[in-house]
Amino acid sequence: LTILMLLGFSLSIALLVWWLLGRPRSMEGELKRALRAREFVPYLQPLVSSIDGKVLGAEVLMRWQHPSSGLVRPDLFIPQAEESGIIVPMTQLLMQTVAQQLSQWQQRLPTGFHIGFNISAVHCRDLSLLAECRAFLDHFPPGQLVLVLELTERELLVATPTTLALFKGLDDMGVLLAIDDFGTGHSSLLYLQQFHVDYLKIDQSFISKIGTESLSEHIVDNVIDLGTRLGLALVAEGVETQAQAEYLRGKGVDYLQGYLFGHPVPLRQFCNERLPQEVTAQPMRG
Ligand code: C2E
Ligand code: MG
Ligand code: MG
Ligand code: MG
């Protein structure tokens, strides 16, 4: 009996150790496999002008096309990918894929089309992003695309000689910097002070309460005021209703994004449906 109890005990310890160590490691292994299999694909969501609703650009949102689970949303795998650092090669693959596919639509891309990527803080620990952005832009004629990097705030990004050199280099290249989910992170205001920021993206948690909760409305108004005083462009995220869009337009927010204007869709579908049709020559009258 003692031997059986001992066996049972050591088995549960082994299970616990497996659960603690094996589970996260298998997720990392699964991400590595998926990276080799190129299962991370770009979905694009339009960025529209608040004045006339014209599509001015798009944000690239990563999706995991899993062989058995189907389409996996980023909140289920990005945090683990950031923890292990594998988000860096995943983002590199995403940028390469978008550059290759989007460059096939060059004739239909409006000049100055904005294309935004979400960049994790781990990706800013060295200068590799500079070469990756250069390679991305080299797929397009100069000035055709405006590359925007959206900094998420799950991890704190601090001003080190490397990050300062990185953002200086990006700025020199004409790459724009956006603060994503503005108002929800602890470092937002520090970012504004330390890095050359071009855009603020007002978080959808504030936008969604426009018209129903005055506190959120005050926060939105104050972010708009801050952005305007600092000469930054403003983007509202998660716009779902006409009333929200009207409110934001009235306050002078330039760019809107949200389900009201379009869900994220595969790159090819976005280009087919949302880029202006090629101007075809009028047929000659004989
Ligand atoms: P985010 O960058 O703030 O992206 C906006 C999220 O809001 C997207 O979720 C988008 O699908 C969703 N959304 C857009 N419009 C609406 C709306 O009107 N209503 C609602 N309820 N939601 C809306 P998604 O695609 O699930 O991405 C979640 C987050 O995952 C992103 O938030 C971003 O932080 C992260 N993420 C996505 N792709 C990447 C990536 O390639 N790299 C990194 N590092 N992070 C990524
Ligand atoms: Mg974003
Ligand atoms: Mg700049
Ligand atoms: Mg956001």
Side-chain angles (χ1 to χ4, degrees):
L1 190 73
T2 333
I3 290 178
L4 266 182
M5 273 176 67
L6 266 176
L7 251 175
F9 180 70
S10 40
L11 195 68
S12 28
I13 291 289
L15 270 174
L16 186 71
V17 168
W18 171 83
W19 189 80
L20 283 176
L21 298 175
R23 225 179 46 143
R25 218 184 272 156
S26 73
M27 176 61 169
E28 199 187 326
E30 183 56 7
L31 288 171
K32 280 187 182 148
R33 184 204 56 74
L35 181 63
R36 282 194 300 271
R38 299 181 159 254
E39 288 171 9
F40 301 108
V41 294
Y43 271 50
L44 265 60
Q45 186 183 33
L47 179 79
V48 309
S49 158
S50 67
I51 297 159
D52 53 14
K54 241 169 78 183
V55 176
L56 302 175
E59 174 174 4
V60 180
L61 294 156
M62 199 188 289
R63 295 289 182 268
W64 183 357
Q65 195 86 63
H66 194 277
S68 54
S69 314
L71 207 62
V72 185
R73 294 186 62 123
D75 15 316
L76 295 176
F77 63 89
I78 297 275
Q80 289 92 331
E82 285 178 338
E83 223 172 275
S84 60
I86 198 175
I87 187 68
V88 177
M90 280 162 63
T91 306
Q92 290 166 345
L93 172 67
L94 195 71
M95 288 179 80
Q96 286 163 12
T97 309
V98 172
Q100 279 159 12
Q101 295 188 5
L102 203 59
S103 60
Q104 290 163 18
W105 295 85
Q106 252 174 50
Q107 292 89 333
R108 278 171 63 178
L109 277 178
T111 308
F113 191 80
H114 280 46
I115 192 92
F117 285 92
N118 292 285
I119 300 295
S120 304
V122 277
H123 208 146
C124 302
R125 288 208 189 129
D126 60 40
L127 298 179
S128 67
L129 245 188
L130 283 178
E132 288 150 27
C133 291
R134 168 68 29 236
F136 181 89
L137 289 169
D138 280 347
H139 279 77
F140 304 91
Q144 187 179 32
L145 271 197
V146 177
L147 180 55
V148 182
L149 301 184
E150 302 190 359
L151 284 181
T152 52
E153 298 189 306
R154 281 181 294 272
E155 298 157 284
L156 189 68
L157 191 60
V158 287
T160 62
T162 307
T163 52
L164 291 172
L166 173 65
F167 291 122
K168 169 80 168 60
L170 290 169
D171 196 32
D172 291 345
M173 217 186 282
V175 173
L176 304 186
L177 205 60
I179 307 291
D180 209 345
D181 309 333
F182 190 79
T184 63
H186 36 263
S187 56
S188 303
L189 295 173
L190 206 60
Y191 278 168
L192 293 184
Q193 194 191 37
Q194 293 176 330
F195 306 118
H196 181 106
V197 172
D198 301 283
Y199 260 99
L200 296 185
K201 299 195 75 171
I202 312 170
D203 192 64
Q204 64 185 45
S205 60
F206 305 120
I207 303 297
S208 66
K209 295 188 190 99
I210 288 174
T212 61
E213 193 207 274
S214 60
L215 176 65
S216 289
E217 245 168 55
H218 290 322
I219 293 173
V220 170
D221 292 354
N222 275 280
V223 172
I224 294 169
D225 187 49
L226 177 70
T228 309
R229 283 173 198 270
L230 296 176
L232 307 178
L234 290 156
V235 183
E237 299 190 282
V239 180
E240 292 183 348
T241 68
Q242 205 63 56
Q244 289 163 0
E246 240 124 68
Y247 182 91
L248 293 159
R249 185 182 316 125
K251 298 276 178 176
V253 174
D254 316 306
Y255 307 104
L256 307 178
Q257 208 183 325
Y259 294 164
L260 182 65
F261 308 102
H263 285 254
V265 294
L267 187 142
R268 194 175 309 275
Q269 187 186 342
F270 177 90
C271 292
N272 254 322
E273 292 173 358
R274 306 307 297 260
L275 294 182
Q277 295 294 318
E278 267 171 288
V279 186
T280 46
Q282 288 291 311
M284 293 271 281
R285 297 253 205 120

